[in-house]
């Protein structure tokens, strides 16, 4: 019997890990520059952390992995923000950390949806949350962090789509305008949109099934429902993006797939022709009442999330160089009954900071040299029974075939000297 990964999951094989390690390194470098600190939350939470009252999102209504343990219901996390805000409130970080609190997360998420390119049932997500302050300039800075990351990964074929959902008053006005507009067309809409009509009619504009319907194209524009304060806030966000030199396109129909957003929402998408339906690289927005929902004070926040798989795939498509695999500093060859001495020498080298492969199998000298070549070892150390007896060792520098015989105590010094020559 041959076992396979569950549908919608995948293995990351050793030869692919260098790309993941590279991106994770870049993420930690960039978040450090922007003064974000890492937070790690559980892979599952109480279901009510994600399933909030009257939530119209597909993620909550269709895609969550939920299981019961006795009287308790738990859900594998489908996104990162809810758990971070729950933790922010539970541990009262608003009282122990300077505001705004800048947090980032990196880990697995789970959604039960149809697997396709760039979309899996288990996926890895990087995200940031900037909590406890509200300003248009912070919104622009948040977008800038993600924009920097994408650019640093060599992805140039991108554009920023941005919109505003306005404040509570503006949203209420727009919801009413949409309900009046769509009421005569309910029978033309899919079952999901008929549900969204009652829960959150803004989400109808984001429907992938009804997007070609004439009633969607003729829907009222949100900008017409904005009050003066919301217009001014959005105008300042755009001015801040202009100041940072980040190009953008205002998209009136951009509402995002989660219900908790207010004011600024944005998506950064790939403009490559082959990106298809999964063009979004990262997306997010501001939320004004999320902290309060979990029992904290009335605080605003803003964040975004990036799917790591999609980021790595797009970077690869654009020919980005993720660097070479880790090379081998030294390969220890053993001749005769010297396996314990080979083991001890390899460990001594590792203790002194060298990356080492040691032959601990009964193999010929020729096969051991071939193995050293495959590992691209910079130095080959040859240890036979005579060398062990005399306290000496043969060392070969593969770059120029230089070979010396030295006393064993001088080995570390010799390799460090050659390293200096190569620097």
């Amino acid at each position: 019997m041959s076992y396979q990964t569950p549908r919608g999951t995948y293995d990351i094989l050793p030869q692919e890990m260098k790309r993941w390690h590279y991106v994770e390194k870049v993420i930690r470098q960039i978040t450090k520059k922007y003064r974000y600190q890492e937070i790690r939350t559980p892979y599952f939470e109480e279901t009510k952390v994600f399933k909030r009252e009257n939530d119209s999102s597909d993620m909550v209504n269709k895609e969550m992995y939920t299981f019961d343990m006795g009287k308790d219901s738990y859900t594998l996390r489908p996104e990162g923000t809810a758990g971070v805000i729950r933790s922010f409130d539970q541990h009262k970080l608003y009282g122990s950390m300077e505001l705004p609190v800048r947090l980032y997360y990196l880990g697995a998420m789970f959604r039960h949806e149809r697997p396709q390119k760039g979309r899996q049932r288990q996926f890895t997500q990087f995200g940031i949350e900037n909590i406890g302050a509200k300003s248009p300039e912070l919104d622009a800075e948040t977008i800038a962090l993600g924009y920097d990351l994408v650019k640093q990964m060599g992805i140039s074929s991108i554009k920023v789509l941005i919109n505003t959902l306005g404040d509570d008053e503006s949203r209420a006005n727009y919801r009413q305008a949409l309900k009046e507009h769509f009421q005569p067309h309910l029978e033309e809409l899919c079952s999901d949109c008929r549900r969204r009509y009652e829960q959150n009619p803004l989400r109808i504009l984001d429907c992938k099934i009804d997007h070609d319907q004439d009633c969607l194209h003729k829907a009222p524009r949100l900008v017409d429902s904005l009050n003066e304060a919301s217009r001014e806030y959005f105008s300042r966000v755009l001015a801040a993006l202009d100041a940072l030199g980040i190009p953008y396109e205002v998209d009136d129909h951009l509402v995002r797939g989660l219900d908790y957003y207010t004011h600024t929402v944005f998506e950064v998408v790939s403009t490559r022709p082959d990106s298809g339906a999964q063009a979004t690289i990262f997306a997010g927005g501001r939320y004004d009442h999320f902290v309060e929902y979990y029992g904290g004070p009335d605080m605003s926040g803003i964040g975004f999330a990036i799917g790591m798989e999609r980021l790595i795939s797009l970077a690869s498509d654009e020919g980005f160089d993720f660097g070479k695999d880790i090379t081998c500093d030294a390969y220890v060859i053993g001749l005769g009954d010297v396996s314990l001495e080979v083991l001890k020498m390899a460990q001594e080298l590792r203790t002194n900071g060298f990356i080492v492969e040691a032959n601990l199998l009964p193999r010929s000298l020729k096969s051991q040299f071939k193995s050293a070549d495959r590992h691209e070892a910079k130095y080959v150390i040859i240890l036979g029974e005579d060398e062990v007896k005399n306290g000496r060792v043969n060392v070969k520098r593969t770059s120029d075939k230089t070979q010396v015989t030295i006393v064993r105590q001088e080995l570390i010094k010799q390799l460090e000297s050659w390293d200096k020559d190569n620097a």
Side-chain angles (χ1 to χ4, degrees):
M1 178 181 290
S2 176
Y3 292 95
Q4 305 290 320
T5 54
R7 186 167 185 254
T9 68
Y10 59 94
D11 298 315
I12 305 175
L13 301 178
Q15 60 266 31
E16 300 166 345
M17 283 307 306
K18 69 173 183 178
R19 298 187 297 174
W20 286 78
H21 290 160
Y22 185 96
V23 179
E24 290 164 7
K25 179 181 177 181
V26 172
I27 283 172
R28 290 187 165 87
Q29 290 172 340
I30 289 179
T31 50
K32 184 177 181 180
K33 290 178 182 178
Y34 281 80
R35 299 290 296 156
Y36 281 75
Q37 298 181 69
E38 185 176 9
I39 185 171
R40 300 187 183 186
T41 61
Y43 277 34
F44 65 94
E45 303 262 4
E46 291 184 73
T47 298
K48 60 186 178 183
V49 170
F50 305 111
K51 194 174 181 63
R52 295 169 292 277
E53 184 178 353
N54 203 37
D55 194 315
S56 69
S57 67
D58 287 346
M59 182 195 76
V60 169
N61 287 281
K62 295 181 176 183
E63 299 170 358
M64 297 203 308
Y65 284 96
T66 298
F67 57 96
D68 294 330
M69 298 292 289
K71 296 181 180 180
D72 300 316
S73 177
Y74 298 99
T75 295
L76 295 176
R77 61 185 188 188
E79 54 99 8
T81 301
V84 171
I85 302 301
R86 188 270 311 150
S87 180
F88 178 83
D89 285 352
Q90 177 182 336
H91 300 287
K92 296 180 171 57
L93 298 185
Y94 47 81
S96 61
M97 298 179 71
E98 184 174 350
L99 300 178
V101 175
R102 301 168 185 260
L103 304 171
Y104 80 90
Y105 58 87
L106 180 62
M109 309 290 164
F110 308 86
R111 296 186 188 181
H112 190 276
E113 55 185 344
R114 185 172 64 87
Q116 53 188 292
K117 181 182 178 181
R119 190 183 292 269
Q120 300 291 332
R121 290 177 173 175
Q122 177 180 319
F123 57 97
T124 305
Q125 195 174 80
F126 159 64
I128 67 169
E129 308 296 342
N130 189 313
I131 315 166
K134 183 177 182 178
S135 85
E137 290 73 29
L138 277 178
D139 294 11
E141 184 190 71
T142 300
I143 296 171
L145 190 158
Y147 194 80
D148 282 356
L149 171 59
V150 172
K151 286 293 189 181
Q152 196 160 327
M153 294 307 303
I155 303 171
S156 57
S157 307
I158 60 173
K159 66 178 177 180
V160 178
L161 303 178
I162 190 166
N163 194 22
T164 178
L165 303 181
D167 58 14
D168 292 344
E169 179 186 54
S170 300
R171 282 168 62 92
N173 292 339
Y174 191 48
R175 284 171 64 98
Q176 185 58 37
L178 287 177
K179 295 198 76 168
E180 292 175 1
H181 170 77
F182 285 119
Q183 201 282 328
H185 304 284
L186 285 178
E187 293 305 314
E188 303 169 24
L189 302 176
C190 68
S191 58
D192 284 332
C193 282
R194 290 195 290 273
R195 169 178 54 80
R196 293 164 183 154
Y197 176 84
E198 298 296 338
Q199 292 180 303
N200 182 2
L202 277 73
R203 291 280 291 111
I204 297 175
L205 302 176
D206 198 36
C207 181
K208 302 300 186 291
I209 297 175
D210 292 331
H211 67 279
D212 288 329
Q213 290 275 15
D214 190 55
C215 61
L216 265 72
H217 293 300
K218 294 180 179 179
R221 298 170 66 235
L222 193 151
V223 66
D224 296 327
S225 295
L226 295 177
N227 57 27
E228 190 57 37
S230 295
R231 291 175 185 271
E232 173 62 21
Y233 189 96
F234 190 50
S235 176
R236 287 178 57 189
V237 172
L238 300 184
L241 290 175
D242 288 336
L244 293 175
I246 297 177
Y248 58 85
E249 178 182 314
V250 177
D251 183 349
D252 290 337
H253 282 73
L254 178 62
V255 296
R256 295 296 303 135
L258 299 173
D259 282 1
Y260 49 70
Y261 289 125
T262 56
H263 284 290
T264 309
V265 289
F266 55 89
E267 290 185 0
V268 173
V269 301
S270 169
T271 57
R272 287 179 59 95
D274 56 358
S275 58
Q278 305 304 321
T280 301
I281 305 173
F282 73 90
R286 177 162 290 282
Y287 41 86
D288 278 351
H289 306 295
F290 215 28
V291 176
E292 187 179 7
Y293 175 86
Y294 292 104
D298 183 10
M299 283 184 170
S300 187
I302 185 170
F304 70 74
I306 292 181
M308 293 283 285
E309 292 84 354
R310 196 171 302 173
L311 181 64
I312 291 171
S313 176
L314 284 169
S316 299
D317 289 344
E318 299 228 6
F320 184 74
D321 181 8
F322 291 89
K324 293 186 66 176
D325 287 322
I326 296 175
T327 57
C328 178
D329 290 324
Y331 191 104
V332 184
I333 285 178
L335 300 175
D337 188 16
V338 294
S339 58
L340 289 180
E341 294 300 324
V342 168
L343 179 64
K344 285 166 58 179
M345 179 172 289
Q347 204 65 8
E348 178 187 350
L349 290 166
R350 292 170 184 140
T351 300
N352 283 273
F354 292 93
I355 302 170
V356 181
E357 180 70 30
N359 178 72
L360 300 175
L361 302 174
R363 295 194 291 181
S364 68
L365 179 62
K366 182 178 180 180
S367 66
Q368 291 185 66
F369 267 111
K370 285 184 176 179
S371 180
D373 288 341
R374 287 193 295 270
H375 284 86
E376 298 182 352
K378 292 190 291 184
Y379 312 118
V380 177
I381 299 162
I382 306 168
L383 192 63
E385 293 175 351
D386 289 342
E387 284 79 11
V388 171
K389 181 179 178 180
N390 298 324
R392 304 181 75 80
V393 62
N394 295 309
V395 189
K396 179 180 180 180
R397 183 166 61 184
T398 57
S399 61
D400 60 2
K401 311 300 183 184
T402 297
Q403 184 166 329
V404 296
T405 301
I406 57 176
V407 296
R408 179 164 177 169
Q409 289 82 355
E410 295 292 318
L411 175 60
I412 302 298
K413 183 178 178 181
Q414 179 66 57
L415 296 185
E416 290 175 342
S417 173
W418 277 347
D419 274 350
K420 287 180 180 178
D421 292 344
N422 294 331

